[in-house]
Amino acid sequence: MMDLMNYYDILGCTKESTFEDIKCAYRALALKFHPDKNTTEFDSIKFQYVLKAWHVLRDPKLKEEYDAILKQEELDLENILIYAKIWVNELEEMDNNKDMLSYQCRCGGLYCIEKQHIQKKNQMIHVPCSECTLFTIIET
């Protein structure tokens, strides 16, 4: 399985977004993270991701190729062993770390995710168990 960056997520768009939606999102993020406006290394990295996402999604041929690769990755993910598909509100805050949420696996292990990774709505996040080979899907 590839570890493919989701350019739609980077720009805050979806595959159903229009070209104009994608362009507006790119412009807003490019202004927000532009090196002339921000000096942190973190913002510089984000700016590079935004540029790469725009480079691919603005070109119809590159976008079509990228969408095909993304679809294949989604299909590959479906071949993993899924224990459960849960909603964010089913997660519990961990006693020893208030920034982490967890869900118990049938093996006794935990599916753990940082709160920051579930802020965006309408995502399906695959999280591995800490003890076995099962995954759970968290819907936000």
Side-chain angles (χ1 to χ4, degrees):
M1 179 177 73
M2 295 169 54
D3 190 18
L4 186 67
M5 264 197 253
N6 190 315
Y7 295 143
Y8 294 103
D9 286 347
I10 289 169
L11 295 181
C13 298
T14 66
K15 283 194 236 183
E16 291 76 30
S17 297
T18 65
F19 177 78
E20 286 302 315
D21 293 337
I22 292 170
K23 183 167 76 172
C24 287
Y26 159 72
R27 287 183 176 168
L29 291 171
L31 285 173
K32 181 177 179 180
F33 297 115
H34 195 279
D36 290 345
K37 296 185 184 252
N38 296 290
T39 57
T40 68
E41 184 178 335
F42 181 71
D43 287 340
S44 177
I45 292 169
K46 278 188 170 183
F47 182 70
Q48 294 303 316
Y49 289 157
V50 168
L51 285 176
K52 179 65 176 165
W54 174 242
H55 171 76
V56 171
L57 298 179
R58 73 176 179 199
D59 181 297
K61 185 173 178 6
L62 291 176
K63 183 180 183 295
E64 184 179 338
E65 291 171 5
Y66 172 74
D67 286 347
I69 292 168
L70 197 61
K71 181 63 178 170
Q72 185 59 52
E73 184 175 80
E74 289 170 7
L75 291 172
D76 290 346
L77 283 174
E78 291 175 9
N79 290 330
I80 61 177
L81 297 172
I82 304 294
Y83 167 61
K85 193 176 202 179
I86 62 171
W87 292 97
V88 166
N89 60 357
E90 296 179 67
L91 296 168
E92 296 179 8
E93 196 171 82
M94 295 181 76
D95 293 332
N96 59 345
N97 187 343
K98 300 296 182 191
D99 294 327
M100 295 290 289
L101 298 170
S102 68
Y103 184 80
Q104 184 137 12
C105 181
R106 68 180 182 206
C107 76
L110 292 175
Y111 300 99
C112 300
I113 189 164
E114 291 180 25
K115 287 181 180 178
Q116 68 183 16
H117 296 298
I118 59 165
Q119 301 304 316
K120 192 180 240 184
K121 299 294 180 204
N122 301 316
Q123 294 186 94
M124 289 190 10
I125 305 167
H126 292 75
V127 179
C129 176
S130 61
E131 299 294 323
C132 70
T133 59
L134 296 175
F135 280 74
T136 193
I137 298 173
I138 301 170
E139 293 190 51
T140 61

